[in-house]
Amino acid sequence: MSQSLIIFKPSGNVEYQYNNKIHPFNEFISSLVNETVTTISLNFTTKTINNKRFYCYSKDDVYVSLYFDSITTIDNDQIRQTLSGIHKTYVKLEENEEEHTDKLKKMVDLQFNNLMKLKQQQQPTEEVTRESTPISNVNSGTSTPNKGKQQSSSKKMRKWDNGEMVENVDGGALDYSGAQDGDITSGKLPELKVDNSAFIKDHDLVLVNELNDILNESDDDDEDEDVQSSSKSGGFFSKISSYLGGSIDLNEVSKQFNDQLMSKNIAPGTSKQIIEKIKNKLSGNKKVTMSMYKQALTDELTKILTPNVSTDLLHDIKRNAETNTRPYVISVVGVNGVGKSTNLAKLAYWLLQNNFNVLICACDTFRSGAVEQLKVHVNNLNRLNENSENSKIDLFEKGYGSGDHVVQTAKQAIQYATDHKFDIVLIDTAGRTHSNAKLMAPLKKFGDAANPNKIIMVGEALVGTDSVEQAINFNNAFGNKRSLDFFIISKVDTVGDLVGTMINMVMATKVPILFVGTGQTYTDIKRLSVKQVVEMLMK
């Protein structure tokens, strides 16, 4: 596990660094400035960025921050204690500039290395084994000899004094297996003592003692911080009074709810916008209670997720069949690996259950195996639908190709569906990276040629804050005249109550959610329950 530590000030000066890895701290420092970090306790914050876990202790404009390359199992209190100790060490030694740099490095290294030792597994304690020794037979009063004991060697043993061999002595002089002074017969071994000072150099011992003095002198400061934290939060009775109708600190509560929303996978910028709306809405009130704040936030989240257009897809399809000979065309788009083909198959099964004839068009002509995957889905759906006389499903595909192959395949599929009386054409498209302009550009040409009635983007509940950029880029990819119509959020069953991706995507584009994917079978596609999602976000 790699780790690094720095001490810095708001001016940007790095006062100390461990491991010479400053660059990874840039984004974390930006989070500190933007107040998007999570507060664990007074002066102690944390945030995970790019698979690195950052921690920071700050006081009196001195910041001590460290990160681990992977999520650590070290207790937060232990990390806070170490960072607080390093902070106190820096402040104490800063007064003496001559000794500051060298002594600071030694003391910080000592504390940091002690923290790292917590990651090491303790080695099993070695037990000292002794040969059996003659013991006194209480009943007979005789001594029982040690059976099988080897005869002592006639070879002389060496005697050492101050690192030099003095003389050869009889090996028996070094045999301590016999009982001495009754210690063995009494069941007690002579006490063994180790002089730890023998392993510490004099100047290191002085350094350790000085460090202990610094940390012990600062114990009162910790108590003051605890008192300050208690008074700042208002204490237990203050919290109770807030929930029972007492007035709250609008800024403090807003910060707490902002942290909560971000912990649910809502992007920092999105969360900040929501909280600012709540603050502006409540700021005109003379008295703001916790219940008022929670209700305002619940209403705002509900408003965001509630569609402002019709999501009755079945009604639109039926109306199209009554007025047009052209089938109803739905195109499914999204990033690689989010489950476009799987959710397209779920959507097809839902349409079959509502007695529509469905033609699936294989326009993912880039990914190897994409066409074959759709063949498997269509075969499965045909078996599930074999007893139905009111609906059918088929696959239209022209193999793999590039250039205009996708556009031509889509056009031919729509014409085929028209000729063979299919109600709906579901067009599967290739997954593409939302940040790659070259890959996103063909979507406009495809949209103009296929002219789908609805464009549905499949987004993944697991993606978190990156969902904002994904949604915006796909929404803008079809030009000024077209945009996304609906979202399907996949893998919702894998994230528990961390459903903030839905808020991210809807708020960024104003595009409503049509379905959520809740499993791996064809029936695991559900209509969005706004109330249920909001309840999970407010937990």
Side-chain angles (χ1 to χ4, degrees):
M1 181 181 68
S2 177
Q3 59 276 322
S4 185
L5 178 144
I6 62 171
I7 301 174
F8 63 95
K9 292 187 176 181
S11 62
N13 291 334
V14 176
E15 305 294 323
Y16 173 83
Q17 62 190 68
Y18 181 97
N19 274 2
N20 298 321
K21 295 182 179 179
I22 296 180
H23 177 71
F25 287 97
N26 291 339
E27 191 170 351
F28 177 66
I29 293 174
S30 176
S31 299
L32 287 173
V33 173
N34 296 322
E35 297 183 350
T36 59
V37 294
T38 301
T39 300
I40 300 178
S41 61
L42 182 66
N43 301 331
F44 185 46
T45 56
T46 184
K47 187 177 181 69
T48 300
I49 303 174
N50 297 329
N51 295 323
K52 291 181 174 63
R53 187 70 169 180
F54 290 83
Y55 296 89
C56 182
Y57 179 88
S58 60
K59 186 180 178 183
D60 300 330
D61 287 337
V62 176
Y63 293 76
V64 183
S65 180
L66 66 79
Y67 78 81
F68 302 98
D69 262 353
S70 57
I71 301 301
T72 178
T73 57
I74 302 177
D75 184 70
N76 285 340
D77 291 338
Q78 189 66 48
I79 296 175
R80 181 190 184 279
Q81 182 180 350
T82 300
L83 295 184
S84 174
I86 293 174
H87 179 278
K88 296 165 189 171
T89 304
Y90 172 82
V91 172
K92 186 71 174 179
L93 295 182
E94 191 179 23
E95 301 171 359
N96 190 341
E97 295 184 359
E98 294 181 359
E99 299 181 355
H100 177 65
T101 303
D102 184 55
K103 186 176 291 186
L104 174 68
K105 182 181 185 307
K106 292 179 180 179
M107 288 189 173
V108 170
D109 289 356
L110 181 61
Q111 295 176 77
F112 191 77
N113 290 331
N114 283 338
L115 180 66
M116 291 303 100
K117 287 179 182 178
L118 296 177
K119 288 293 294 179
Q120 300 175 358
Q121 295 182 352
Q122 294 183 351
Q123 298 295 328
T125 304
E126 295 183 0
E127 295 183 359
V128 179
T129 59
R130 301 174 181 267
E131 291 185 355
S132 301
T133 58
I135 59 175
S136 175
N137 190 321
V138 178
N139 294 330
S140 63
T142 60
S143 176
T144 304
N146 184 16
K147 295 182 180 180
K149 185 176 181 180
Q150 296 180 354
Q151 297 293 328
S152 59
S153 172
S154 60
K155 183 178 179 179
K156 298 285 186 178
M157 304 294 289
R158 294 184 177 90
K159 181 178 179 181
W160 297 82
D161 186 20
N162 293 327
E164 297 182 359
M165 187 181 74
V166 179
E167 60 179 333
N168 290 340
V169 297
D170 187 2
L174 299 179
D175 183 7
Y176 296 100
S177 60
Q180 297 180 11
D181 298 330
D183 288 335
I184 298 297
T185 57
S186 64
K188 296 181 180 179
L189 293 175
E191 183 179 1
L192 299 178
K193 294 184 179 180
V194 178
D195 185 5
N196 289 325
S197 63
F199 300 96
I200 303 177
K201 297 179 181 179
D202 290 341
H203 63 275
D204 288 339
L205 186 59
V206 171
L207 185 70
V208 171
N209 291 335
E210 184 177 350
L211 177 59
N212 286 332
D213 289 340
I214 292 175
L215 299 181
N216 290 332
E217 287 176 3
S218 302
D219 285 344
D220 292 338
D221 294 340
D222 288 338
E223 294 177 4
D224 292 341
E225 287 181 12
D226 292 337
V227 172
Q228 182 182 352
S229 176
S230 176
S231 62
K232 184 176 181 180
S233 63
F236 177 77
F237 291 105
S238 176
K239 291 181 180 179
I240 290 295
S241 65
S242 295
Y243 280 93
L244 293 178
S247 182
I248 62 172
D249 184 329
L250 187 59
N251 291 327
E252 181 65 25
V253 172
S254 294
K255 188 176 186 306
Q256 293 174 6
F257 274 103
N258 184 63
D259 292 342
Q260 176 175 330
L261 293 181
M262 288 192 295
S263 72
K264 301 289 186 176
N265 264 350
I266 295 181
T270 304
S271 176
K272 187 176 181 179
Q273 290 181 47
I274 295 172
I275 295 301
E276 285 299 321
K277 285 185 179 180
I278 304 303
K279 289 177 64 177
N280 293 336
K281 182 178 180 179
L282 297 176
S283 60
N285 295 303
K286 294 182 179 180
K287 178 182 178 181
V288 179
T289 64
M290 182 63 75
S291 60
M292 290 172 59
Y293 196 101
K294 293 179 71 175
Q295 186 60 51
L297 182 56
T298 299
D299 292 343
E300 182 63 27
L301 294 174
T302 302
K303 180 181 177 182
I304 293 171
L305 291 176
T306 301
N308 55 10
V309 296
S310 173
T311 58
D312 191 348
L313 192 60
L314 297 178
H315 175 74
D316 287 348
I317 296 172
K318 291 177 181 177
R319 188 174 60 180
N320 180 78
E322 294 171 356
T323 58
N324 292 293
T325 57
R326 184 179 187 265
Y328 196 89
V329 180
I330 300 174
S331 178
V332 179
V333 299
V335 180
N336 313 65
V338 296
K340 291 183 305 301
S341 300
T342 301
N343 281 278
L344 180 142
K346 292 179 182 180
L347 185 59
Y349 183 69
W350 176 71
L351 293 169
L352 288 173
Q353 297 301 299
N354 285 279
N355 299 322
F356 289 109
N357 297 324
V358 180
L359 180 67
I360 294 180
C361 175
C363 280
D364 183 355
T365 62
F366 178 78
R367 177 172 63 91
S368 177
V371 175
E372 288 74 17
Q373 181 184 9
L374 290 179
K375 287 181 179 179
V376 172
H377 282 308
V378 170
N379 289 336
N380 291 340
L381 293 173
N382 267 320
R383 286 198 296 270
L384 292 172
N385 198 54
E386 59 186 0
N387 295 325
S388 174
E389 298 179 357
N390 300 318
S391 61
K392 64 179 180 179
I393 186 169
D394 203 354
L395 174 67
F396 186 91
E397 57 92 11
K398 290 293 182 180
Y400 298 91
S402 58
D404 291 336
H405 182 74
V406 172
V407 172
Q408 295 302 321
T409 300
K411 286 182 175 180
Q412 293 175 28
I414 295 171
Q415 185 59 50
Y416 180 88
T418 303
D419 297 339
H420 293 81
K421 307 301 181 184
F422 282 92
D423 303 304
I424 303 162
V425 178
L426 294 179
I427 303 179
D428 187 30
T429 62
R432 61 201 74 221
T433 305
H434 63 284
S435 57
N436 190 320
K438 184 177 180 180
L439 295 178
M440 295 292 288
L443 283 177
K444 184 179 185 305
K445 183 177 181 180
F446 167 78
D448 292 341
N451 191 24
N453 297 80
K454 298 295 181 187
I455 302 175
I456 300 177
M457 176 183 174
V458 177
E460 188 179 56
L462 294 166
V463 73
T465 58
D466 194 43
S467 56
V468 174
E469 186 178 357
Q470 289 183 11
I472 292 174
N473 288 1
F474 271 94
N475 194 46
N476 296 335
F478 296 91
N480 297 328
K481 297 181 180 180
R482 285 303 305 264
S483 60
L484 298 174
D485 294 290
F486 297 118
F487 289 121
I488 294 178
I489 307 299
S490 66
K491 307 177 186 178
V492 173
D493 55 308
T494 65
V495 296
D497 60 359
L498 306 182
V499 291
T501 295
M502 300 185 193
I503 294 290
N504 294 336
M505 300 182 77
V506 173
M507 194 166 172
T509 60
K510 311 302 180 186
V511 174
I513 296 172
L514 181 64
F515 290 111
V516 293
T518 58
Q520 299 183 22
T521 69
Y522 293 118
T523 58
D524 289 328
I525 185 169
K526 312 294 182 185
R527 297 302 295 263
L528 174 68
S529 172
V530 174
K531 181 180 179 181
Q532 186 177 3
V533 172
V534 172
E535 287 176 352
M536 288 190 285
L537 292 172
M538 293 296 293
K539 281 184 180 178

